[in-house]
Amino acid sequence: MAKVRTRYAPSPTGHLHIGNARTALFSYLFARKNGGDFIIRIEDTDTERNVPGGEYSQMAGLKWLGLDWDESIDKGGPYGPYRCMERLDIYKKYVDKLLAEGKAYKSYSTPEELEKERQEQLARGQAPKYSGWDRDLTPEQQAKLEAEGRVPSIRFRVPEGRIISFEDAVRGEVKFESDGIGDFVIMRPDGRPTYNFACVIDDALMEITHVIRGEEHISNTPRQILIYEALGFQPPQFAHIPLILNQEGKKMSKRDESIVQFIDQYKELGYLPESLVNFMALLGWAPEGEEEIFTLEELCQIFSLERISKAPAIFDTGKLKWMNNHYIKKASLERIVDLAIPYFEQAGLITLPLSEEKKNWITRVVALYQEQLDQVSSIVELSEIFFRQEVEYSEEGKQVLAEEHVPAVLGSFLAKLEEVEEFNPDQIKTVFKKVQKETGYKGKQLFMPIRVAVTGEVHGPDLRETLSLIGLETVKQRLQKLVDNKE
RNA sequence: GGCCCGUUGGUGAAGCGGUUAACACACCAGCCUUUCACGCUGGCAUGCAGGGGUUCGAAUCCCCUACGGGUCACCA
């Protein structure tokens, strides 16, 4: 059995999309599960769409997710180069071979003519398919067309009347009739191969054993198989994974606002890579048991092609949030604090570098909210009360403050605060006890007025810690103001 | 339009001829708690898109219909 080799072959047209990331993940998991190699190859033959930095961005995204690879443009490998545009001479060699054997031919239609032909077929209700008018031109005819200034592209001659079938690891046997496939371009006039051609040559030469890719490629597969056959290559095992749909059941489009679609956006929002990995693994794949929380390492152990679903996967954003919260709770406080600091800084709430004291303070604030954070960026909004200069009393808060016993509690609390030496949670606890003894109020009646008086809100994290973090002076000021108003 | 694929609760998703139709999210109720959040316990599909078959027996197999999706590029 040959060593398993899988690849992720992005075109460097932009940032790492969640769908591509999941394809890469599946390919990675399958390779690791089987002790194989994972390769990244850059499909940059559509030179007009390539964006500068696209390659780096793709790889940075994968790296952030925790995926690594064995061969690629950054580290080389025995099957390079790993960028299609650096393999042009290789493609040419195989095109020449097909040409010589009559399995491909020079085609002279211009893009304008093709588009016109296409539109006409569509208008007639026909399936668009290349006419093949220039399939069997004589050298003289070709010379004449070239004299007109036409530069030929190379088309693959699709055999007639064939049934092309292959065994897909996800879908089982898949069949296509060759008659539904028109002769397709494998090399553009300028010598750049098209995807279907480059993909076959590269996968074959790089000895890729398993091609795991999105379902949208399923209809490309018969074309590619034809090329494998024409060149005498052994096709790999194919596995077409289901598409990811948004919550309306529609294919995610780049413009779709309902879902955050790019990996670096998740990073910016404060998602943890392990939650994204876990979540993506469950997009179209299901583990055997009931457990659904897995580390990357665990996934490498249990992943299998057999358990990939045929039905499209729906992107459940609520579930992702829940999962991210799960991992945030599991993470160390220190890690979450480090992630949180930039958000505070961007919001203008703190300035860097942080003093030791301020860092400790921030750490305590973050600790208060760690268990309810579903994305780290939310920390700014959640912890708002610790950064406000003035208290703003909510409607519910005002109602609490209007209660009869409130002045007594507040007055007593304020007075007892004078005796405090260090304003820490323990000391505050003893102050509470004293106030309780003096006023006779306890529980909700005791704590709620104090909470509202200092924070303006009826809800919030642990009161003692909250007071301690807001600081003695501010607490006294706020209480004093209320006590004064009452009098 | 041709060809391919899919359809299980409010949501995601197991299920591969005989199950009380997992599990999770959400939601509701209760507990915990000064409040919120977390956590815990319980509730939540007489039903597997609809209609026909096959079978002693079907979410599971077959056919039709509906709906959704993919694809038919000198884009990957």
Side-chain angles (χ1 to χ4, degrees):
Chain A
M1 199 29 198
K3 186 176 194 186
V4 166
R5 288 171 58 83
T6 65
R7 47 59 164 189
Y8 169 57
S11 61
T13 53
H15 293 175
L16 182 57
H17 184 90
I18 189 102
N20 289 136
R22 179 264 225 143
T23 300
L25 209 217
F26 281 20
S27 299
Y28 169 86
L29 292 177
F30 185 75
R32 291 292 173 259
K33 165 72 189 265
N34 295 286
D37 295 329
F38 176 58
I39 292 100
I40 295 178
R41 182 176 71 228
I42 302 296
E43 304 262 354
D44 55 355
T45 56
D46 187 357
T47 45
E48 292 190 3
R49 295 209 313 172
N50 292 344
V51 306
E55 299 171 350
Y56 171 75
S57 169
Q58 290 279 326
M59 297 173 93
L62 294 178
K63 208 168 274 180
W64 181 72
L65 288 170
L67 308 195
D68 52 26
W69 46 91
D70 303 291
E71 299 165 26
S72 192
I73 54 170
D74 61 332
K75 52 175 25 165
Y79 296 84
Y82 294 91
R83 213 172 340 238
C84 294
M85 287 305 283
E86 292 169 10
R87 301 171 62 81
L88 261 24
D89 52 334
I90 300 175
Y91 307 125
K92 177 156 194 320
K93 192 178 118 196
Y94 288 100
V95 164
D96 287 345
K97 183 162 183 264
L98 291 176
L99 240 22
E101 292 172 2
K103 292 173 180 169
Y105 61 91
K106 293 180 179 176
S107 178
Y108 294 89
S109 294
T110 63
E112 294 72 33
E113 287 166 351
L114 289 171
E115 184 55 25
K116 195 175 163 224
E117 179 180 314
R118 203 181 129 77
Q119 290 306 329
E120 284 170 0
Q121 287 170 332
L122 245 21
R124 267 178 271 140
Q126 293 174 337
K129 185 180 165 185
Y130 187 64
S131 68
W133 65 274
D134 45 7
R135 245 188 169 204
D136 297 300
L137 262 25
T138 62
E140 293 70 32
Q141 289 170 312
Q142 290 181 337
K144 194 178 167 216
L145 285 162
E146 282 172 39
E148 284 174 21
R150 295 188 186 234
V151 185
S153 55
I154 310 299
R155 274 181 198 271
F156 186 81
R157 191 187 298 270
V158 175
E160 288 165 43
R162 282 261 330 261
I163 301 286
I164 304 151
S165 81
F166 63 95
E167 192 67 22
D168 187 275
V170 174
R171 292 163 189 275
E173 190 185 19
V174 181
K175 289 182 189 170
F176 288 90
E177 291 178 25
S178 70
D179 291 349
I181 304 171
D183 294 343
F184 55 94
V185 172
I186 55 177
M187 188 166 277
R188 301 168 169 105
D190 63 4
R192 283 148 53 225
T194 58
Y195 164 74
N196 276 129
F197 189 68
C199 182
V200 169
I201 302 298
D202 296 339
D203 283 339
L205 264 29
M206 293 181 184
E207 295 182 35
I208 301 301
T209 57
H210 298 258
V211 170
I212 299 169
R213 64 198 349 177
E215 190 188 301
E216 69 269 24
H217 285 292
I218 203 157
S219 57
N220 282 146
T221 310
R223 291 177 179 75
Q224 295 175 11
I225 286 180
L226 253 16
I227 299 172
Y228 277 103
E229 287 177 359
L231 257 14
F233 290 138
Q234 174 71 28
Q237 166 79 247
F238 292 100
H240 288 94
I241 64 182
L243 296 170
I244 303 172
L245 270 29
N246 67 21
Q247 270 158 321
E248 281 82 57
K250 305 282 185 193
K251 190 189 182 190
M252 287 197 288
S253 79
K254 300 270 154 72
R255 278 150 267 134
D256 196 334
E257 303 276 316
S258 69
I259 294 177
V260 176
Q261 301 192 39
F262 294 93
I263 296 301
D264 41 9
Q265 289 178 298
Y266 281 103
K267 185 181 174 190
E268 282 164 26
L269 286 169
Y271 277 79
L272 266 26
E274 58 267 44
S275 59
L276 246 2
V277 163
N278 195 154
F279 181 75
M280 288 192 298
L282 265 17
L283 244 27
W285 174 83
E288 224 167 299
E290 290 175 359
E291 186 56 53
E292 60 177 359
I293 297 295
F294 301 106
T295 63
L296 223 207
E297 292 67 35
E298 288 166 336
L299 289 167
C300 287
Q301 297 303 311
I302 62 178
F303 184 78
S304 73
L305 260 25
E306 293 73 50
R307 296 193 63 84
I308 293 176
S309 167
K310 285 201 267 276
I314 311 276
F315 198 100
D316 186 346
T317 53
K319 189 75 171 272
L320 207 210
K321 280 193 170 191
W322 168 81
M323 194 167 275
N324 198 47
N325 170 255
H326 172 89
Y327 280 102
I328 288 176
K329 280 184 293 191
K330 258 174 62 173
S332 72
L333 210 210
E334 197 182 18
R335 178 176 172 205
I336 303 304
V337 169
D338 286 344
L339 290 172
I341 285 172
Y343 298 111
F344 287 123
E345 206 252 330
Q346 280 159 31
L349 267 18
I350 58 174
T351 48
L352 301 178
L354 248 31
S355 67
E356 183 75 18
E357 191 190 7
K358 191 74 179 173
K359 174 89 186 268
N360 288 337
W361 185 81
I362 284 284
T363 300
R364 288 171 64 195
V365 169
V366 172
L368 248 20
Y369 296 100
Q370 182 174 5
E371 65 186 14
Q372 61 180 290
L373 272 182
D374 54 16
Q375 47 186 42
V376 182
S377 59
S378 300
I379 188 65
V380 171
E381 207 183 322
L382 279 172
S383 62
E384 195 190 9
I385 57 164
F386 293 102
F387 297 93
R388 278 209 284 249
Q389 294 307 308
E390 298 296 326
V391 216
E392 289 167 35
Y393 297 99
S394 67
E395 280 311 307
E396 289 166 298
K398 286 175 187 165
Q399 281 173 30
V400 168
L401 291 180
E403 286 169 35
E404 257 180 69
H405 71 291
V406 169
V409 171
L410 260 30
S412 168
F413 185 60
L414 184 55
K416 296 281 175 291
L417 246 26
E418 297 302 333
E419 304 161 16
V420 169
E421 293 153 18
E422 200 187 335
F423 200 53
N424 61 35
D426 278 348
Q427 294 260 338
I428 293 169
K429 186 176 183 181
T430 67
V431 175
F432 283 162
K433 279 184 179 157
K434 287 180 191 167
V435 175
Q436 179 178 334
K437 204 169 174 189
E438 184 177 286
T439 65
Y441 295 112
K442 59 177 182 176
K444 223 170 178 171
Q445 288 194 304
L446 169 63
F447 298 112
M448 202 46 91
I450 296 172
R451 176 182 292 285
V452 174
V454 177
T455 70
E457 305 288 338
V458 294
H459 302 306
D462 181 79
L463 223 207
R464 294 184 312 225
E465 182 71 358
T466 299
L467 294 179
S468 168
L469 286 169
I470 286 177
L472 183 57
E473 286 317 307
T474 306
V475 168
K476 285 206 295 202
Q477 266 174 36
R478 291 179 182 175
L479 289 168
Q480 192 66 56
K481 207 168 168 186
L482 284 174
V483 171
D484 291 348
N485 283 346
K486 287 290 175 204
E487 281 164 2

